[in-house]
Amino acid sequence: MVNYTNRVMTAIESAIGHEIAWPDRQERAVNSAHFAGLGFSGCIGLVDCTLVKLFQRPRDDGETYFDRKSNYSMNVQVICDQNKRVIYFFAGMPDSCQDLTCLRRSSLWGRLGSAQLFDNGQYFLGDSGYIPLDRLVCSYKRTGGDMDKVDFNTCIAHARVGNEQCIGILKARWHSLKKIRTQLRNPAENAYVIRWIRCCFILHNFLIWRRDEWSEDDHPIELETEDDLGPPPQGARECNRRGLERRQAVQRTCLEINRRPGGVLCR
């Protein structure tokens, strides 16, 4: 059975493995124009992590995979565009690794300054599990009762629903992503699980390209968001513009502090 599965995964990767790809300059411009309509000019994608449950405790360092819901899980980072197409993912880290740690361990971390991946002023949106970076705008972890920050967090949450929907569709289409029934006893089996996840993502993108739309009326999806969205604030686009300018000013200050000796990352 494993040999047959490997052959299928190899065929998927060989035939349509190119489906997971970072957007080119033209595609990034289209993404940016879409998010500009939500008040986030320059945004080219949405980032978040999701937990993929494992059938049983991994043999090595199994306790690090134990999550808050008493399951053993792998943390998978997903970046998607406005069409819910996966443009980048990183898998293989245990649940104990926070979202920011997953980003730092990924190949994308060392390329955030690459002109091949981002044009001037472009970035992606994340939640408060991340920190502000040149190429990452995230919500505030603490608002301190500042209504501008509260409104900005609400606007980001509404924009980021696309990522939650992307992950929900992935798990609704490919039920194996709800719980992978494969043991993790060695690096080869870990690589096998990552390939499995990648093939699910490839097929997901392929169906989007073929315009096989997911009908939530016929097949409702489960959103994993913990954000209390509430209604968008009055004048949401203007709120986003002001909030984005303020957040990016905070990011520039944070980056300047972090470049100094003894600097610490701020939220």
Side-chain angles (χ1 to χ4, degrees), residues 1-228:
M1 181 62 73
V2 172
N3 286 336
Y4 286 120
T5 304
N6 273 322
R7 290 177 185 174
V8 171
M9 290 196 295
T10 298
I12 291 172
E13 291 171 330
S14 300
I16 53 176
H18 60 276
E19 289 294 334
I20 300 179
W22 194 263
D24 59 26
R25 175 165 289 180
Q26 183 177 355
E27 291 170 329
R28 293 198 300 270
V30 172
N31 294 347
S32 178
H34 168 82
F35 287 109
L38 300 175
F40 293 101
S41 178
C43 175
I44 62 170
L46 310 167
V47 61
D48 201 2
C49 283
T50 184
L51 297 180
V52 174
K53 297 178 187 176
L54 302 173
F55 173 60
Q56 63 184 47
R57 183 184 190 273
R59 188 183 69 178
D60 297 330
D61 302 317
E63 67 280 359
T64 64
Y65 290 83
F66 197 69
D67 64 31
R68 66 183 184 279
K69 296 183 179 179
S70 300
N71 299 305
Y72 293 100
S73 302
M74 178 182 289
N75 207 358
V76 180
Q77 185 166 256
V78 180
I79 302 179
C80 71
D81 63 15
Q82 83 276 9
N83 295 317
K84 305 178 185 63
R85 183 176 66 94
V86 178
I87 60 175
Y88 181 84
F89 84 97
F90 178 66
M93 305 301 292
D95 169 70
S96 60
C97 287
Q98 299 178 348
D99 295 0
L100 177 60
T101 302
C102 289
L103 179 60
R104 283 175 166 160
R105 297 286 181 87
S106 71
S107 60
L108 180 61
W109 180 257
R111 304 187 64 195
L112 290 178
S114 171
Q116 293 180 323
L117 302 186
F118 300 90
D119 293 322
N120 289 336
Q122 291 182 340
Y123 56 88
F124 48 97
L125 285 178
D127 61 14
S128 60
Y130 297 91
I131 59 172
L133 301 167
D134 277 342
R135 300 302 187 186
L136 173 59
V137 172
C138 56
S139 52
Y140 291 95
K141 182 175 285 291
R142 294 176 291 273
T143 61
D146 185 328
M147 289 310 299
D148 282 345
K149 292 182 179 180
V150 172
D151 287 346
F152 184 68
N153 279 5
T154 301
C155 291
I156 279 192
H158 277 275
R160 289 185 56 258
V161 163
N163 189 282
E164 302 289 349
Q165 291 172 335
C166 171
I167 292 171
I169 292 171
L170 278 162
K171 291 187 175 182
R173 262 191 171 133
W174 319 111
H175 283 200
S176 61
L177 296 180
K178 293 184 176 181
K179 178 176 283 189
I180 293 184
R181 304 183 68 83
T182 300
Q183 293 178 311
L184 290 185
R185 296 168 295 187
N186 52 56
E189 290 179 343
N190 192 67
Y192 177 87
V193 169
I194 295 173
R195 281 189 73 201
W196 183 286
I197 293 171
R198 180 171 184 263
C199 285
C200 290
F201 288 5
I202 290 172
L203 292 172
H204 167 82
N205 283 2
F206 177 73
L207 290 173
I208 291 176
W209 176 70
R210 291 296 300 270
R211 301 188 183 280
D212 184 352
E213 300 293 338
W214 182 263
S215 172
E216 293 189 42
D217 293 332
D218 297 332
H219 308 284
I221 60 176
E222 299 177 8
L223 298 184
E224 299 179 351
T225 180
E226 297 179 357
D227 295 323
D228 182 13

